[in-house]
């Protein structure tokens, strides 16, 4: 190809992809549609159902060669995404562990995406990595971890737990021939991502010990100690204890201080999964419930739960900096410019990721903008609201699970005429068909119970009033269907 032909062809291709770089006028037009959508979404959020039990999706999601207008695409998003399933941004989401979605984080995500900061490596984005590390430092202070600890911001709790367990595995040299002798200790209430993580990192075949629970679903530390001693006598190699600070099912906080002592005595890795409950520790009144968390070797929290951020932010803290580095650092020839002398630790050295979303900004910006006080007030509010909801349910004749440690609890209707499991299953079906507020269910020792998890910043007294109206209706419908038929 001659030089001039080459230039012609380049120009023609540039014409074809020019749409990828809209000018200011076009950007303005595009953002107008998005702004209209987000205003509409937020203005109505308290008036639309939380759950729409419709999983039938339209063709309009399909990607084909035909270009569509942004308005049409947003219509598809509204009808096919927003108006189906659970609305996770709604305060009426009090099932599973709710998320949040504070607006300031959405704006931070927008800025991070527009500037496309490369926050994986200090050399590329010293400021971006400093912001990530500042968020980690704030977490270290909040959870009383030493300055020398390191951390990583992940996409969520599952990946954060995966990183911690990988470091524990490598630190304790649980390799090939040792795997079938190694032992992990957890309660049956541990989040299932722990079992997933063990399988992913090649530890599916380690011995899993399920430690007994007390009547509040907390790990029984005596049973833990007994099990470890027994396993050692058998010539096995205990190496890891996983405790929970806020279990998914009941919000229970394991006795962290007692577990820390046992871990120390037997020289085991002590990991705490505080993905759901961790941020309640910001409250002075709750600190004692978390005593011992500062003794963990590694800790996971989920800011997309307890800090009300939009989905996409978990965090792991680990005390042994060298061990995290050992498991995750890699050098390659094409990275040689980045291996500077004075550099800060880079996220790429502490996690499986290299290129990553600049997710630190979505937490850093709201903390800079508002300070921590509104977050603490919101967490305190959720604890009190849980009591309010329980009081209301009790006066409607429901039986309740034990006094919760945090904001997860459960209840059931003690129906005399119909097997309670059958009755409560139908009751939840009716609640889901209504959808004003979304609740979930679980099994507690074989008993079917309805589960509440109050954590969305949008859940207020008026949400609970709405929930009670809905539950009252569903209860009388269920009686009609099953008892008075
Ligand atoms: C939510 C949760 C997880 C998993 O975190 P994701 O952010 O969903 O990946 C792990 N442990 C506990 C206790 C949780 O509540």
């Amino acid at each position: 190809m001659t030089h001039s032909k080459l230039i012609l062809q380049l120009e023609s291709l540039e014409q074809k992809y020019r749409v990828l770089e809209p000018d200011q006028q076009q950007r303005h037009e595009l953002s107008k549609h998005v702004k209209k959508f987000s205003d509409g979404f937020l203005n109505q959020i308290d008036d639309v159902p939380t759950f729409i039990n419709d999983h039938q999706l339209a063709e309009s999601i399909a990607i084909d060669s035909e270009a569509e207008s942004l308005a049409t695409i947003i219509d598809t998003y509204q009808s096919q995404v927003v108006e189906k399933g659970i609305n996770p941004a709604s305060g009426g989401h009090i099932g599973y562990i709710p998320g949040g979605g504070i607006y300031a984080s959405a704006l931070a995500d927008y800025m991070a995406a527009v500037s496309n900061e490369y926050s994986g490596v200090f050399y590329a984005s010293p400021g971006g990595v400093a912001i990530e590390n500042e968020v980690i430092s704030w977490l270290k202070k909040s959870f009383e971890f030493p300055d020398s600890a390191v951390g990583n911001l992940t996409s969520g709790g599952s990946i954060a737990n995966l990183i911690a367990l990988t470091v524990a595995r490598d630190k304790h040299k649980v390799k090939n021939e040792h795997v079938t002798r190694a032992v992990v200790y957890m309660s049956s209430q541990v989040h299932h991502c722990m079992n997933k993580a063990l399988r992913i990192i090649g530890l599916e075949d380690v011995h899993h010990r399920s430690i007994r629970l007390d009547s509040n679903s907390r790990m029984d530390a005596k049973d833990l100690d007994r099990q470890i001693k027994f396993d050692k006598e058998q010539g096995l190699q205990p190496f890891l204890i996983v405790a929970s600070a806020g279990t998914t099912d009941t919000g229970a906080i394991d006795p962290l201080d007692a577990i820390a002592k046992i871990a120390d005595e037997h020289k085991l890795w002590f990991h705490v999964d505080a993905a759901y409950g961790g941020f309640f520790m910001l409250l002075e009144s709750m600190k004692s419930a978390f005593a011992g968390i500062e003794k963990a070797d590694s800790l996971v929290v989920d800011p997309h739960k307890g800090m009300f951020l939009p989905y996409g932010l978990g965090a792991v803290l680990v005390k042994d900096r060298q061990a995290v580095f050992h498991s995750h650092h890699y050098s390659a020839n094409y990275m040689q410019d980045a291996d500077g002398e004075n550099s800060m630790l880079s996220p790429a050295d502490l996690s499986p990721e290299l290129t990553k979303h600049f997710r630190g900004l979505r937490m850093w910006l709201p903390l800079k903008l508002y300070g921590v006080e509104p977050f603490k007030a919101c967490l305190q509010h959720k604890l009190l609201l849980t009591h309010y909801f329980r009081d209301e349910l009790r006066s409607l004749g429901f039986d309740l699970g034990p006094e919760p440690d945090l904001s997860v609890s459960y209840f059931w209707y003690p129906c005399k005429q119909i097997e309670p499991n059958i009755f409560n299953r139908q009751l939840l079906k009716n609640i889901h068909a209504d959808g004003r507020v979304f609740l979930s269910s679980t099994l507690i020792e074989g008993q079917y119970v309805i589960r509440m998890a109050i954590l969305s910043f949008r859940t207020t007294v008026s949400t609970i009033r709405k929930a009670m109206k809905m539950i009252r209706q569903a209860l009388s419908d269920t009686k009609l269907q099953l008892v008075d038929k």
Side-chain angles (χ1 to χ4, degrees), residues 96-97 154-161 189-194 196 243-249 273-277 300-305 311-314 451:
Y96 305 116
I97 302 285
T154 63
S155 56
S158 300
I159 302 298
N161 278 308
Q189 289 293 312
V190 86
H191 193 277
H192 73 274
C193 75
M194 241 34 101
K196 257 170 83 169
S244 310
T247 56
T248 310
D249 244 5
D273 180 11
Y276 150 62
V300 162
V301 291
D302 241 353
H304 66 197
K305 291 174 181 162
Y311 291 138
L313 196 69
R451 187 176 154 284

Side-chain angles (χ1 to χ4, degrees), residues 316-346:
V316 58
L317 301 178
V318 186
K319 284 200 186 129
D320 190 331
R321 163 186 294 248
Q322 212 46 50
V324 187
F325 199 75
H326 169 81
S327 295
H328 294 100
H329 172 75
Y330 231 95
S331 217
N333 291 339
Y334 49 80
M335 293 293 290
Q336 62 183 2
D337 295 338
D339 292 337
E341 289 259 300
N342 302 318
S343 51
M344 269 197 193
L345 272 177
S346 296

Side-chain angles (χ1 to χ4, degrees), residues 289-311:
F290 289 89
I293 202 169
E294 74 287 352
K295 294 177 184 158
D297 291 297
S298 51
L299 170 70
V300 162
V301 291
D302 241 353
H304 66 197
K305 291 174 181 162
M307 292 286 287
F308 324 112
L309 305 191
Y311 291 138

Side-chain angles (χ1 to χ4, degrees), residues 80 115 128 348 368 378 388:
Q80 300 306 304
S115 60
K368 292 282 271 185
C378 194
Y388 176 79

